[in-house]
Amino acid sequence: MDKFIVKTQSRFEMIDITKEVSSVLNKAGAKEGTCYLFVPHTTAAVTINENADPDVPKDILMELDKAIPLSDNYRHIEGNSAAHIKASLFGSSEVVLVEDGNLVLGTWQSIFFCEFDGPRTRNVMVRFISAV
Ligand code: ZN
């Protein structure tokens, strides 16, 4: 298993990590198979969506904030329940196919690390399973 660090800069953020994941796969000599991504955090997540237009992740974060407000009489004493809920909605893992050493992603797709309670130093775990 490999891992890399993401240093987030703000409280809410979607960071394109596609290049970092590709770099890990290249260093591992990955050719054909499956790439598993796992974020070992309860207030962060990983998702795949559009990065061709940088307004898409901004819109996603804006609407998430409306659906899951920061304050809403939550019971969790740490005060970051909104971040926990957002993290569960997006999930802590993604699976991406790998072909000829490249991530199989649609033209407009990127892999995003989603920070919901930053800024923090975060980890992304990567496991490549070879198909051959
Ligand atoms: Zn908490």
Short mmCIF file of all heavy atoms in Angstrom, two decimals, residues 62-131:
data_model
loop_
_atom_site.label_atom_id
_atom_site.label_comp_id
_atom_site.label_asym_id
_atom_site.label_seq_id
_atom_site.Cartn_x
_atom_site.Cartn_y
_atom_site.Cartn_z
N MET A 62 -20.94 24.76 -2.17
CA MET A 62 -21.95 25.75 -1.80
C MET A 62 -23.29 25.08 -1.48
O MET A 62 -23.93 25.39 -0.47
CB MET A 62 -22.14 26.75 -2.95
CG MET A 62 -23.16 27.83 -2.68
SD MET A 62 -23.30 29.01 -4.04
CE MET A 62 -24.21 28.04 -5.25
N GLU A 63 -23.69 24.14 -2.33
CA GLU A 63 -24.98 23.49 -2.11
C GLU A 63 -24.94 22.53 -0.92
O GLU A 63 -25.94 22.38 -0.21
CB GLU A 63 -25.43 22.76 -3.39
CG GLU A 63 -25.81 23.73 -4.49
CD GLU A 63 -26.86 24.73 -4.06
OE1 GLU A 63 -27.95 24.33 -3.60
OE2 GLU A 63 -26.60 25.95 -4.16
N LEU A 64 -23.79 21.88 -0.72
CA LEU A 64 -23.63 21.01 0.45
C LEU A 64 -23.84 21.80 1.73
O LEU A 64 -24.45 21.33 2.69
CB LEU A 64 -22.22 20.41 0.48
CG LEU A 64 -22.00 19.00 -0.04
CD1 LEU A 64 -20.54 18.62 0.18
CD2 LEU A 64 -22.92 18.00 0.62
N ASP A 65 -23.30 23.02 1.73
CA ASP A 65 -23.40 23.89 2.89
C ASP A 65 -24.85 24.27 3.19
O ASP A 65 -25.23 24.43 4.34
CB ASP A 65 -22.56 25.14 2.66
CG ASP A 65 -21.73 25.48 3.86
OD1 ASP A 65 -21.43 24.57 4.66
OD2 ASP A 65 -21.38 26.66 4.01
N LYS A 66 -25.65 24.40 2.13
CA LYS A 66 -27.07 24.72 2.32
C LYS A 66 -27.81 23.51 2.86
O LYS A 66 -28.68 23.63 3.73
CB LYS A 66 -27.70 25.16 1.00
CG LYS A 66 -27.27 26.52 0.53
CD LYS A 66 -28.04 26.88 -0.73
CE LYS A 66 -27.39 28.04 -1.46
NZ LYS A 66 -27.90 28.16 -2.83
N ALA A 67 -27.49 22.33 2.32
CA ALA A 67 -28.19 21.11 2.73
C ALA A 67 -27.81 20.70 4.14
O ALA A 67 -28.64 20.17 4.89
CB ALA A 67 -27.87 19.98 1.75
N ILE A 68 -26.52 20.94 4.48
CA ILE A 68 -26.01 20.53 5.79
C ILE A 68 -25.35 21.73 6.45
O ILE A 68 -24.14 21.94 6.34
CB ILE A 68 -25.01 19.36 5.65
CG1 ILE A 68 -25.68 18.22 4.87
CG2 ILE A 68 -24.54 18.86 7.00
CD1 ILE A 68 -24.75 17.44 4.03
N PRO A 69 -26.13 22.57 7.11
CA PRO A 69 -25.59 23.80 7.69
C PRO A 69 -24.59 23.53 8.81
O PRO A 69 -24.64 22.49 9.46
CB PRO A 69 -26.83 24.53 8.22
CG PRO A 69 -27.88 23.49 8.33
CD PRO A 69 -27.57 22.41 7.33
N LEU A 70 -23.68 24.50 9.03
CA LEU A 70 -22.66 24.35 10.06
C LEU A 70 -23.27 24.20 11.45
O LEU A 70 -22.79 23.44 12.28
CB LEU A 70 -21.74 25.58 10.05
CG LEU A 70 -20.48 25.49 9.20
CD1 LEU A 70 -19.69 26.78 9.30
CD2 LEU A 70 -19.63 24.30 9.61
N SER A 71 -24.33 24.99 11.71
CA SER A 71 -24.99 24.94 13.02
C SER A 71 -26.44 24.50 12.83
O SER A 71 -27.14 25.05 11.99
CB SER A 71 -24.99 26.32 13.68
OG SER A 71 -23.67 26.77 13.82
N ASP A 72 -26.86 23.51 13.60
CA ASP A 72 -28.25 23.06 13.51
C ASP A 72 -28.63 22.26 14.75
O ASP A 72 -29.24 21.21 14.66
CB ASP A 72 -28.44 22.21 12.24
CG ASP A 72 -29.91 22.08 11.88
OD1 ASP A 72 -30.74 22.84 12.43
OD2 ASP A 72 -30.24 21.20 11.06
N ASN A 73 -28.23 22.77 15.90
CA ASN A 73 -28.51 22.07 17.17
C ASN A 73 -27.99 20.64 17.17
O ASN A 73 -28.63 19.74 17.72
CB ASN A 73 -30.01 22.09 17.49
CG ASN A 73 -30.51 23.49 17.72
OD1 ASN A 73 -29.87 24.26 18.43
ND2 ASN A 73 -31.64 23.83 17.13
N TYR A 74 -26.83 20.45 16.56
CA TYR A 74 -26.23 19.11 16.56
C TYR A 74 -25.85 18.72 17.99
O TYR A 74 -25.54 19.58 18.82
CB TYR A 74 -24.96 19.09 15.69
CG TYR A 74 -25.20 19.42 14.24
CD1 TYR A 74 -24.59 20.52 13.64
CD2 TYR A 74 -26.01 18.60 13.44
CE1 TYR A 74 -24.78 20.82 12.30
CE2 TYR A 74 -26.21 18.90 12.09
CZ TYR A 74 -25.59 20.01 11.54
OH TYR A 74 -25.78 20.30 10.22
N ARG A 75 -25.82 17.44 18.27
CA ARG A 75 -25.50 16.95 19.61
C ARG A 75 -24.00 16.72 19.82
O ARG A 75 -23.50 16.83 20.94
CB ARG A 75 -26.24 15.64 19.87
CG ARG A 75 -27.74 15.81 19.77
CD ARG A 75 -28.43 14.47 19.74
NE ARG A 75 -28.39 13.84 21.05
CZ ARG A 75 -29.42 13.82 21.90
NH1 ARG A 75 -30.54 14.40 21.57
NH2 ARG A 75 -29.31 13.23 23.05
N HIS A 76 -23.27 16.39 18.75
CA HIS A 76 -21.84 16.08 18.82
C HIS A 76 -21.07 17.27 19.41
O HIS A 76 -21.07 18.36 18.83
CB HIS A 76 -21.36 15.74 17.41
CG HIS A 76 -19.91 15.45 17.28
ND1 HIS A 76 -19.22 14.62 18.14
CD2 HIS A 76 -18.99 15.86 16.36
CE1 HIS A 76 -17.96 14.54 17.75
NE2 HIS A 76 -17.79 15.29 16.67
N ILE A 77 -20.41 17.03 20.55
CA ILE A 77 -19.84 18.14 21.32
C ILE A 77 -18.64 18.79 20.64
O ILE A 77 -18.30 19.95 20.90
CB ILE A 77 -19.47 17.64 22.75
CG1 ILE A 77 -19.27 18.83 23.68
CG2 ILE A 77 -18.25 16.76 22.73
CD1 ILE A 77 -19.69 18.54 25.10
N GLU A 78 -17.98 18.07 19.72
CA GLU A 78 -16.80 18.62 19.06
C GLU A 78 -17.16 19.80 18.15
O GLU A 78 -16.30 20.60 17.78
CB GLU A 78 -16.09 17.52 18.27
CG GLU A 78 -14.66 17.86 17.88
CD GLU A 78 -14.03 16.83 16.95
OE1 GLU A 78 -14.72 15.89 16.51
OE2 GLU A 78 -12.85 17.00 16.65
N GLY A 79 -18.45 19.88 17.77
CA GLY A 79 -18.89 21.02 16.97
C GLY A 79 -18.65 20.90 15.48
O GLY A 79 -18.76 21.90 14.76
N ASN A 80 -18.32 19.70 15.01
CA ASN A 80 -18.09 19.56 13.56
C ASN A 80 -18.98 18.49 12.94
O ASN A 80 -18.57 17.77 12.02
CB ASN A 80 -16.61 19.28 13.29
CG ASN A 80 -16.13 18.00 13.94
OD1 ASN A 80 -16.86 17.36 14.69
ND2 ASN A 80 -14.90 17.61 13.62
N SER A 81 -20.21 18.42 13.43
CA SER A 81 -21.14 17.41 12.90
C SER A 81 -21.39 17.57 11.42
O SER A 81 -21.52 16.58 10.69
CB SER A 81 -22.47 17.47 13.64
OG SER A 81 -22.36 16.78 14.85
N ALA A 82 -21.46 18.83 10.94
CA ALA A 82 -21.70 19.04 9.50
C ALA A 82 -20.62 18.34 8.69
O ALA A 82 -20.91 17.70 7.68
CB ALA A 82 -21.76 20.52 9.19
N ALA A 83 -19.38 18.44 9.14
CA ALA A 83 -18.27 17.81 8.43
C ALA A 83 -18.39 16.29 8.44
O ALA A 83 -18.14 15.62 7.44
CB ALA A 83 -16.93 18.24 9.05
N HIS A 84 -18.80 15.72 9.58
CA HIS A 84 -18.98 14.26 9.64
C HIS A 84 -20.08 13.81 8.67
O HIS A 84 -19.93 12.79 7.98
CB HIS A 84 -19.39 13.84 11.06
CG HIS A 84 -18.27 13.93 12.06
ND1 HIS A 84 -17.15 13.14 12.00
CD2 HIS A 84 -18.12 14.72 13.15
CE1 HIS A 84 -16.35 13.44 13.03
NE2 HIS A 84 -16.92 14.40 13.73
N ILE A 85 -21.17 14.57 8.61
CA ILE A 85 -22.29 14.19 7.74
C ILE A 85 -21.87 14.27 6.27
O ILE A 85 -22.12 13.36 5.48
CB ILE A 85 -23.51 15.09 8.03
CG1 ILE A 85 -24.02 14.82 9.46
CG2 ILE A 85 -24.61 14.86 7.01
CD1 ILE A 85 -24.96 15.89 9.99
N LYS A 86 -21.19 15.37 5.91
CA LYS A 86 -20.73 15.52 4.52
C LYS A 86 -19.78 14.38 4.14
O LYS A 86 -19.85 13.84 3.04
CB LYS A 86 -20.03 16.86 4.34
CG LYS A 86 -20.97 18.06 4.41
CD LYS A 86 -20.15 19.34 4.38
CE LYS A 86 -21.03 20.57 4.53
NZ LYS A 86 -20.22 21.80 4.59
N ALA A 87 -18.88 14.04 5.07
CA ALA A 87 -17.91 12.97 4.78
C ALA A 87 -18.62 11.64 4.53
O ALA A 87 -18.25 10.89 3.63
CB ALA A 87 -16.93 12.84 5.94
N SER A 88 -19.67 11.37 5.31
CA SER A 88 -20.39 10.12 5.09
C SER A 88 -21.17 10.13 3.79
O SER A 88 -21.28 9.11 3.12
CB SER A 88 -21.35 9.85 6.25
OG SER A 88 -20.70 9.08 7.23
N LEU A 89 -21.71 11.28 3.41
CA LEU A 89 -22.44 11.36 2.14
C LEU A 89 -21.52 11.06 0.95
O LEU A 89 -21.91 10.38 0.01
CB LEU A 89 -23.05 12.75 1.96
CG LEU A 89 -24.31 13.05 2.74
CD1 LEU A 89 -24.74 14.49 2.52
CD2 LEU A 89 -25.43 12.11 2.31
N PHE A 90 -20.31 11.59 0.98
CA PHE A 90 -19.39 11.41 -0.14
C PHE A 90 -18.66 10.07 -0.05
O PHE A 90 -18.30 9.51 -1.07
CB PHE A 90 -18.37 12.56 -0.19
CG PHE A 90 -18.89 13.77 -0.91
CD1 PHE A 90 -20.15 14.26 -0.66
CD2 PHE A 90 -18.12 14.41 -1.86
CE1 PHE A 90 -20.64 15.37 -1.33
CE2 PHE A 90 -18.61 15.52 -2.54
CZ PHE A 90 -19.86 16.00 -2.26
N GLY A 91 -18.39 9.62 1.14
CA GLY A 91 -17.73 8.33 1.31
C GLY A 91 -16.22 8.45 1.42
O GLY A 91 -15.62 9.42 0.98
N SER A 92 -15.62 7.41 1.99
CA SER A 92 -14.18 7.45 2.25
C SER A 92 -13.36 6.67 1.23
O SER A 92 -12.16 6.52 1.39
CB SER A 92 -13.91 6.90 3.65
OG SER A 92 -14.49 5.63 3.78
N SER A 93 -13.99 6.19 0.16
CA SER A 93 -13.22 5.42 -0.82
C SER A 93 -13.73 5.62 -2.24
O SER A 93 -14.88 6.02 -2.46
CB SER A 93 -13.24 3.94 -0.45
OG SER A 93 -14.56 3.45 -0.51
N GLU A 94 -12.85 5.33 -3.19
CA GLU A 94 -13.19 5.30 -4.61
C GLU A 94 -12.40 4.16 -5.24
O GLU A 94 -11.33 3.78 -4.74
CB GLU A 94 -12.81 6.60 -5.32
CG GLU A 94 -13.74 7.78 -5.06
CD GLU A 94 -15.10 7.66 -5.73
OE1 GLU A 94 -15.30 6.74 -6.56
OE2 GLU A 94 -15.98 8.48 -5.41
N VAL A 95 -12.93 3.64 -6.32
CA VAL A 95 -12.24 2.62 -7.11
C VAL A 95 -12.10 3.15 -8.53
O VAL A 95 -13.07 3.64 -9.10
CB VAL A 95 -13.04 1.29 -7.13
CG1 VAL A 95 -12.32 0.26 -8.00
CG2 VAL A 95 -13.25 0.77 -5.73
N VAL A 96 -10.88 3.10 -9.07
CA VAL A 96 -10.66 3.58 -10.44
C VAL A 96 -9.90 2.49 -11.20
O VAL A 96 -8.91 1.95 -10.69
CB VAL A 96 -9.85 4.89 -10.46
CG1 VAL A 96 -9.77 5.44 -11.89
CG2 VAL A 96 -10.46 5.94 -9.54
N LEU A 97 -10.37 2.16 -12.40
CA LEU A 97 -9.68 1.17 -13.23
C LEU A 97 -8.39 1.77 -13.77
O LEU A 97 -8.30 2.99 -13.96
CB LEU A 97 -10.59 0.72 -14.36
CG LEU A 97 -11.90 0.06 -13.92
CD1 LEU A 97 -12.74 -0.31 -15.14
CD2 LEU A 97 -11.64 -1.16 -13.06
N VAL A 98 -7.41 0.90 -14.01
CA VAL A 98 -6.13 1.33 -14.56
C VAL A 98 -5.86 0.53 -15.83
O VAL A 98 -5.95 -0.71 -15.82
CB VAL A 98 -4.99 1.12 -13.54
CG1 VAL A 98 -3.65 1.54 -14.13
CG2 VAL A 98 -5.27 1.88 -12.25
N GLU A 99 -5.57 1.24 -16.90
CA GLU A 99 -5.32 0.61 -18.21
C GLU A 99 -4.05 1.21 -18.80
O GLU A 99 -3.93 2.44 -18.85
CB GLU A 99 -6.54 0.90 -19.12
CG GLU A 99 -6.51 0.25 -20.46
CD GLU A 99 -7.10 -1.15 -20.45
OE1 GLU A 99 -7.72 -1.53 -19.44
OE2 GLU A 99 -6.91 -1.85 -21.46
N ASP A 100 -3.12 0.36 -19.22
CA ASP A 100 -1.85 0.84 -19.78
C ASP A 100 -1.16 1.82 -18.83
O ASP A 100 -0.53 2.79 -19.28
CB ASP A 100 -2.06 1.51 -21.15
CG ASP A 100 -2.56 0.53 -22.18
OD1 ASP A 100 -2.16 -0.65 -22.15
OD2 ASP A 100 -3.38 0.94 -23.04
N GLY A 101 -1.30 1.62 -17.55
CA GLY A 101 -0.65 2.48 -16.56
C GLY A 101 -1.38 3.79 -16.30
O GLY A 101 -0.91 4.61 -15.51
N ASN A 102 -2.54 3.98 -16.97
CA ASN A 102 -3.28 5.25 -16.79
C ASN A 102 -4.60 5.02 -16.08
O ASN A 102 -5.26 3.99 -16.29
CB ASN A 102 -3.57 5.89 -18.16
CG ASN A 102 -2.30 6.22 -18.91
OD1 ASN A 102 -1.41 6.87 -18.35
ND2 ASN A 102 -2.20 5.77 -20.14
N LEU A 103 -5.00 5.99 -15.27
CA LEU A 103 -6.32 5.95 -14.64
C LEU A 103 -7.38 6.05 -15.73
O LEU A 103 -7.26 6.87 -16.65
CB LEU A 103 -6.47 7.13 -13.68
CG LEU A 103 -5.59 7.09 -12.44
CD1 LEU A 103 -5.48 8.48 -11.81
CD2 LEU A 103 -6.14 6.09 -11.43
N VAL A 104 -8.40 5.21 -15.65
CA VAL A 104 -9.50 5.26 -16.62
C VAL A 104 -10.55 6.22 -16.07
O VAL A 104 -11.35 5.88 -15.21
CB VAL A 104 -10.10 3.86 -16.86
CG1 VAL A 104 -11.26 3.95 -17.85
CG2 VAL A 104 -9.02 2.89 -17.35
N LEU A 105 -10.49 7.46 -16.58
CA LEU A 105 -11.43 8.51 -16.16
C LEU A 105 -12.05 9.13 -17.39
O LEU A 105 -11.42 9.19 -18.45
CB LEU A 105 -10.70 9.59 -15.35
CG LEU A 105 -10.17 9.18 -13.98
CD1 LEU A 105 -9.22 10.24 -13.43
CD2 LEU A 105 -11.32 8.94 -13.01
N GLY A 106 -13.28 9.60 -17.27
CA GLY A 106 -13.94 10.30 -18.36
C GLY A 106 -13.22 11.61 -18.65
O GLY A 106 -12.45 12.12 -17.81
N THR A 107 -13.49 12.16 -19.82
CA THR A 107 -12.82 13.38 -20.27
C THR A 107 -12.85 14.49 -19.22
O THR A 107 -11.88 15.21 -19.05
CB THR A 107 -13.51 13.90 -21.55
OG1 THR A 107 -13.53 12.84 -22.50
CG2 THR A 107 -12.78 15.11 -22.12
N TRP A 108 -13.97 14.63 -18.54
CA TRP A 108 -14.14 15.76 -17.62
C TRP A 108 -13.92 15.36 -16.17
O TRP A 108 -14.09 16.18 -15.27
CB TRP A 108 -15.54 16.37 -17.79
CG TRP A 108 -15.88 16.61 -19.21
CD1 TRP A 108 -16.86 15.98 -19.94
CD2 TRP A 108 -15.25 17.53 -20.11
NE1 TRP A 108 -16.84 16.44 -21.22
CE2 TRP A 108 -15.89 17.40 -21.36
CE3 TRP A 108 -14.20 18.46 -19.97
CZ2 TRP A 108 -15.51 18.15 -22.47
CZ3 TRP A 108 -13.83 19.21 -21.08
CH2 TRP A 108 -14.48 19.05 -22.30
N GLN A 109 -13.59 14.10 -15.94
CA GLN A 109 -13.50 13.63 -14.55
C GLN A 109 -12.13 13.84 -13.93
O GLN A 109 -11.10 13.66 -14.58
CB GLN A 109 -13.83 12.13 -14.49
CG GLN A 109 -15.31 11.84 -14.64
CD GLN A 109 -15.60 10.36 -14.51
OE1 GLN A 109 -14.89 9.53 -15.06
NE2 GLN A 109 -16.66 10.04 -13.78
N SER A 110 -12.15 14.20 -12.66
CA SER A 110 -10.95 14.24 -11.83
C SER A 110 -11.29 13.59 -10.49
O SER A 110 -12.45 13.49 -10.11
CB SER A 110 -10.52 15.69 -11.57
OG SER A 110 -9.91 16.24 -12.71
N ILE A 111 -10.24 13.18 -9.79
CA ILE A 111 -10.41 12.63 -8.44
C ILE A 111 -10.18 13.78 -7.46
O ILE A 111 -9.16 14.47 -7.53
CB ILE A 111 -9.41 11.49 -8.16
CG1 ILE A 111 -9.52 10.41 -9.24
CG2 ILE A 111 -9.62 10.92 -6.76
CD1 ILE A 111 -8.36 9.41 -9.21
N PHE A 112 -11.14 13.99 -6.59
CA PHE A 112 -11.05 15.09 -5.62
C PHE A 112 -10.92 14.57 -4.20
O PHE A 112 -11.70 13.71 -3.76
CB PHE A 112 -12.31 15.96 -5.65
CG PHE A 112 -12.43 16.83 -6.86
CD1 PHE A 112 -13.16 16.42 -7.97
CD2 PHE A 112 -11.84 18.08 -6.89
CE1 PHE A 112 -13.29 17.23 -9.07
CE2 PHE A 112 -11.96 18.90 -7.99
CZ PHE A 112 -12.69 18.48 -9.09
N PHE A 113 -9.96 15.15 -3.47
CA PHE A 113 -9.96 15.01 -2.02
C PHE A 113 -10.90 16.09 -1.49
O PHE A 113 -10.78 17.26 -1.86
CB PHE A 113 -8.55 15.21 -1.45
CG PHE A 113 -8.51 15.07 0.03
CD1 PHE A 113 -8.30 13.84 0.61
CD2 PHE A 113 -8.72 16.17 0.85
CE1 PHE A 113 -8.30 13.70 1.98
CE2 PHE A 113 -8.73 16.04 2.22
CZ PHE A 113 -8.52 14.80 2.79
N CYS A 114 -11.84 15.70 -0.63
CA CYS A 114 -12.83 16.65 -0.12
C CYS A 114 -12.54 16.94 1.36
O CYS A 114 -12.66 16.04 2.20
CB CYS A 114 -14.23 16.08 -0.24
SG CYS A 114 -14.64 15.57 -1.92
N GLU A 115 -12.16 18.16 1.63
CA GLU A 115 -11.94 18.61 3.01
C GLU A 115 -13.20 19.28 3.52
O GLU A 115 -13.73 20.19 2.87
CB GLU A 115 -10.76 19.61 3.05
CG GLU A 115 -10.52 20.22 4.42
CD GLU A 115 -10.14 19.18 5.46
OE1 GLU A 115 -8.97 18.77 5.48
OE2 GLU A 115 -11.05 18.79 6.23
N PHE A 116 -13.70 18.80 4.67
CA PHE A 116 -14.90 19.41 5.25
C PHE A 116 -14.65 20.02 6.62
O PHE A 116 -15.57 20.56 7.23
CB PHE A 116 -16.01 18.36 5.34
CG PHE A 116 -16.45 17.81 4.00
CD1 PHE A 116 -16.46 16.45 3.76
CD2 PHE A 116 -16.84 18.67 2.98
CE1 PHE A 116 -16.85 15.95 2.52
CE2 PHE A 116 -17.23 18.19 1.74
CZ PHE A 116 -17.24 16.83 1.52
N ASP A 117 -13.43 19.91 7.13
CA ASP A 117 -13.14 20.45 8.46
C ASP A 117 -11.66 20.83 8.57
O ASP A 117 -10.96 20.45 9.49
CB ASP A 117 -13.51 19.42 9.53
CG ASP A 117 -13.59 20.03 10.92
OD1 ASP A 117 -13.85 21.24 11.03
OD2 ASP A 117 -13.38 19.28 11.89
N GLY A 118 -11.21 21.60 7.57
CA GLY A 118 -9.80 21.97 7.52
C GLY A 118 -9.54 23.31 8.19
O GLY A 118 -10.44 23.87 8.83
N PRO A 119 -8.34 23.85 8.02
CA PRO A 119 -7.24 23.18 7.32
C PRO A 119 -6.57 22.12 8.19
O PRO A 119 -6.44 22.31 9.39
CB PRO A 119 -6.27 24.33 7.03
CG PRO A 119 -6.55 25.35 8.09
CD PRO A 119 -8.00 25.21 8.45
N ARG A 120 -6.18 21.02 7.54
CA ARG A 120 -5.52 19.92 8.25
C ARG A 120 -4.54 19.23 7.31
O ARG A 120 -4.59 19.44 6.11
CB ARG A 120 -6.54 18.86 8.69
CG ARG A 120 -7.58 19.34 9.68
CD ARG A 120 -8.35 18.14 10.18
NE ARG A 120 -9.57 18.52 10.87
CZ ARG A 120 -10.01 17.90 11.96
NH1 ARG A 120 -9.33 16.89 12.47
NH2 ARG A 120 -11.13 18.26 12.52
N THR A 121 -3.70 18.40 7.90
CA THR A 121 -2.84 17.54 7.10
C THR A 121 -3.51 16.17 7.03
O THR A 121 -3.81 15.57 8.06
CB THR A 121 -1.45 17.42 7.76
OG1 THR A 121 -0.88 18.74 7.81
CG2 THR A 121 -0.54 16.51 6.94
N ARG A 122 -3.77 15.73 5.79
CA ARG A 122 -4.57 14.52 5.58
C ARG A 122 -3.78 13.46 4.83
O ARG A 122 -2.81 13.77 4.13
CB ARG A 122 -5.81 14.87 4.76
CG ARG A 122 -6.69 15.96 5.35
CD ARG A 122 -7.38 15.51 6.60
NE ARG A 122 -8.60 16.28 6.84
CZ ARG A 122 -9.50 15.96 7.76
NH1 ARG A 122 -9.31 14.92 8.55
NH2 ARG A 122 -10.58 16.70 7.90
N ASN A 123 -4.25 12.23 4.92
CA ASN A 123 -3.62 11.11 4.22
C ASN A 123 -4.59 10.53 3.19
O ASN A 123 -5.80 10.47 3.43
CB ASN A 123 -3.26 9.99 5.19
CG ASN A 123 -2.19 10.43 6.16
OD1 ASN A 123 -1.09 10.81 5.76
ND2 ASN A 123 -2.52 10.40 7.44
N VAL A 124 -4.02 10.10 2.08
CA VAL A 124 -4.78 9.33 1.09
C VAL A 124 -4.03 8.01 0.88
O VAL A 124 -2.85 8.01 0.55
CB VAL A 124 -4.91 10.08 -0.25
CG1 VAL A 124 -5.65 9.22 -1.27
CG2 VAL A 124 -5.61 11.42 -0.07
N MET A 125 -4.70 6.89 1.14
CA MET A 125 -4.11 5.58 0.96
C MET A 125 -4.44 5.08 -0.44
O MET A 125 -5.57 5.27 -0.93
CB MET A 125 -4.64 4.58 1.99
CG MET A 125 -4.92 5.16 3.36
SD MET A 125 -3.52 5.97 4.08
CE MET A 125 -2.91 4.65 5.09
N VAL A 126 -3.45 4.43 -1.07
CA VAL A 126 -3.62 3.94 -2.43
C VAL A 126 -3.17 2.49 -2.48
O VAL A 126 -2.07 2.16 -2.05
CB VAL A 126 -2.76 4.77 -3.43
CG1 VAL A 126 -3.00 4.29 -4.86
CG2 VAL A 126 -3.04 6.26 -3.29
N ARG A 127 -4.02 1.62 -3.01
CA ARG A 127 -3.64 0.21 -3.19
C ARG A 127 -3.96 -0.17 -4.63
O ARG A 127 -5.11 -0.05 -5.08
CB ARG A 127 -4.43 -0.66 -2.21
CG ARG A 127 -4.41 -2.16 -2.49
CD ARG A 127 -3.03 -2.80 -2.39
NE ARG A 127 -2.34 -2.65 -1.14
CZ ARG A 127 -2.44 -3.51 -0.10
NH1 ARG A 127 -3.22 -4.54 -0.17
NH2 ARG A 127 -1.74 -3.31 0.99
N PHE A 128 -2.92 -0.61 -5.36
CA PHE A 128 -3.12 -1.07 -6.73
C PHE A 128 -3.18 -2.60 -6.73
O PHE A 128 -2.32 -3.26 -6.15
CB PHE A 128 -1.98 -0.60 -7.63
CG PHE A 128 -2.06 -1.16 -9.02
CD1 PHE A 128 -3.02 -0.71 -9.91
CD2 PHE A 128 -1.20 -2.17 -9.43
CE1 PHE A 128 -3.12 -1.25 -11.19
CE2 PHE A 128 -1.29 -2.70 -10.70
CZ PHE A 128 -2.25 -2.25 -11.58
N ILE A 129 -4.22 -3.13 -7.36
CA ILE A 129 -4.34 -4.58 -7.52
C ILE A 129 -4.16 -4.90 -9.00
O ILE A 129 -4.97 -4.47 -9.84
CB ILE A 129 -5.74 -5.08 -7.07
CG1 ILE A 129 -6.08 -4.59 -5.66
CG2 ILE A 129 -5.81 -6.61 -7.17
CD1 ILE A 129 -5.32 -5.23 -4.54
N SER A 130 -3.13 -5.64 -9.32
CA SER A 130 -2.85 -5.97 -10.73
C SER A 130 -3.84 -7.00 -11.25
O SER A 130 -4.22 -7.92 -10.53
CB SER A 130 -1.41 -6.51 -10.83
OG SER A 130 -1.16 -6.86 -12.17
N ALA A 131 -4.25 -6.82 -12.51
CA ALA A 131 -5.19 -7.76 -13.13
C ALA A 131 -4.46 -8.92 -13.79
O ALA A 131 -5.09 -9.87 -14.24
CB ALA A 131 -6.04 -7.02 -14.16
#
